[in-house]
Amino acid sequence: MTERVKRRRLATNQMTTSAPRERKYAQSPSAAATAEDQQTWKGFCEIESDPAFFNVMLRDFGVQGVKVQEVVSLDESLLDMLPKPVYGLIFLFRWKEEDNDTQEVFCPEGVWFANQTSPNACASVALLNIVNNVPNLELGEQLQRFKDFTMDFPPALRGDQIGNFDFVKSIHNSFARKMDMLNADLHLKNEATASKKQQGQKKSAAKNVEGDDSAGFHFIAFLPVDGDVWKLDGLDRQPHRLGPIGDQLWLQLARPDIEEKMAQYEGDQIQFGLLALVQDPLMTQLPALAMNVKALATIEAKLEAKVSEWKESAMSDSAELDALIKGPDAAYQLTQEAIDSKEVPVDMQERLAGEEFPVLLDLHYKLVREQYELRRIAREEEHSRQSDNERASARRHDYGPMIQEWIRMLSDKGVLEGLLDEADEA
């Protein structure tokens, strides 16, 4: 690999010309990383391709109305099942240099694109390269100010700003464990030492990295912007324009490039992952629930005026009717303001105008069934959010000290050596 590429590689192979200052930790290296360690550390930790981690990061960033889901296949029927709209794809793979001739000469004015200039920052860079290109997305105060501040910056300077943005770095590094930080610091130190030894020597021939298992994993983004589909790779100097969307779905234009990278691996090697950034289903479900409550109140008022004992003729049983949401409900983030803001659709108003009792009962039954479905989806999304928080909390916990203590206990009891011998023989 050429020296130019090495300087722009992702974390595990990035080089520097001077040795980094050795980081001093307040506690023993075997102690768990403290919040202060994570916040003051100058690097970025590696993050796995897990939608739960990305969802928690986005919420901590302050981004609203989006959700990250795993994409298990690029089959068209499965892609169609993703919540719409799909704002972008985040692809994880083993990085290697590609033909740079397909890159734009300059970053187009309408595309917010940042280079990855800090080791291991590709997860945050990929996220920011998507959310900063979604029109009218609620980014939160910190990210909105950052986007506005860097709007006229070139990609490299945007990348430098990400590396110096403590707000993003502290959220990213909330997943950092002490061993992650020590290994990253040691790697940079070793790279700097090797770089010094090579200074003044003749550069070696470029290394072909195809099949190189030491190549690091890397996140890149695919997304539509202003009628075109783009590949935004923070290690490229400029974005790649894949083509105009036209009448097709933008995912169809991104699929060949992703499939080409997937095809480079053997059948039993799963060395890639794909995530989709989509609209949070609650963005449509909660307004629909508010409309449902408003429509039910309107119909029940009509029924009550027509037949006071209308519930005896209702198609839903009494338990279902009693369980209906008929006003504000904190469990579903449903406010009276949201309900009052809704207008009963014109077609429903026309059906209500006739005031025919069977018609009203039929419409009421359909709205009851609709509400139960809306509430089911809302509960599932809330459960998914809680599950994400639990997974992220477990990932953020530093188990290193516990594992080290467990190993010490095995050694003290004289069983560690035997276990190692068994492992060698297996």
Side-chain angles (χ1 to χ4, degrees), residues 345-392:
V346 175
D347 61 332
M348 186 177 296
Q349 293 180 19
E350 292 175 350
R351 296 185 65 184
L352 293 175
E355 296 189 351
E356 296 180 6
F357 189 65
V359 173
L360 294 177
L361 286 177
D362 179 66
L363 190 53
H364 183 271
Y365 175 75
K366 291 179 179 177
L367 287 172
V368 170
R369 304 262 56 83
E370 178 188 70
Q371 183 177 122
Y372 272 88
E373 180 63 14
L374 291 172
R375 290 163 62 185
R376 181 190 65 80
I377 295 174
R379 287 194 300 269
E380 287 181 355
E381 290 301 321
E382 182 59 30
H383 176 75
S384 175
R385 180 170 297 192
Q386 293 176 0
S387 177
D388 288 347
N389 291 337
E390 291 171 1
R391 286 182 61 83

Side-chain angles (χ1 to χ4, degrees), residues 410-421:
L410 291 175
S411 178
D412 291 342
K413 291 181 178 295
V415 298
L416 181 60
E417 185 175 354
L419 292 173
L420 294 175
D421 290 340

Side-chain angles (χ1 to χ4, degrees), residues 187-208:
H187 184 81
L188 284 176
K189 183 177 182 179
N190 291 340
E191 287 285 348
T193 302
S195 178
K196 277 188 174 182
K197 291 181 179 180
Q198 292 176 1
Q199 288 180 1
Q201 298 179 2
K202 184 178 180 180
K203 294 182 179 180
S204 60
K207 178 182 177 182
N208 181 6

Side-chain angles (χ1 to χ4, degrees), residues 27-34 177-179 397-409:
Q27 298 178 330
S28 164
S30 62
T34 65
R177 296 162 295 202
K178 178 64 73 64
M179 193 56 64
H397 185 76
D398 193 341
Y399 295 94
M402 181 190 71
I403 295 173
Q404 293 178 43
E405 181 62 26
W406 179 58
I407 293 175
R408 288 194 193 97
M409 292 173 64

